[in-house]
Amino acid sequence: SSGINAEYGHQENNNMSALNLNIGPGDCEWFVVPQEYWGVFHEICERNKINYLTGSWWPLIEDLHKENIPFYRFFQRPEDLVWINAGAIHWVQAKGWCNNIA
């Protein structure tokens, strides 16, 4: 096991917005895609026999480029607050030991 914790690709329940506070000490790496691309993700999941809503999926950057899906990729440092827009597709992984409040 790598010891790295990840939250797989998803949209928030009822497509609500979300807040996430990293209280550290490590960083988190985020990937975020606008809501209007959820259908493309659904198709990618179906091609790979994964349920979009209930399955565990981690998109590959190469696939995002191949499908012309724009994405944001950024690091959340300790004490940073991340706001995710309503319906945004997102996935995140700890890059070290950290605690987050969502």
Side-chain angles (χ1 to χ4, degrees), residues 16-53:
M16 300 293 286
S17 297
L19 289 173
N20 185 290
L21 174 65
N22 181 1
I23 58 174
D27 297 338
C28 292
E29 181 179 25
W30 286 78
F31 300 86
V32 183
V33 172
Q35 177 183 11
E36 55 266 23
Y37 292 90
W38 80 267
V40 179
F41 277 97
H42 186 270
E43 291 173 8
I44 292 170
C45 286
E46 281 191 341
R47 281 197 304 257
N48 290 286
K49 300 185 182 354
I50 299 170
N51 184 296
Y52 174 80
L53 294 176

Side-chain angles (χ1 to χ4, degrees), residues 63-82:
D63 291 340
L64 300 177
H65 289 301
K66 181 179 166 186
E67 299 285 345
N68 294 316
I69 299 172
F71 64 95
Y72 298 96
R73 181 181 188 182
F74 58 91
F75 284 91
Q76 180 187 27
R77 310 281 184 218
E79 300 183 13
D80 284 352
L81 180 67
V82 170

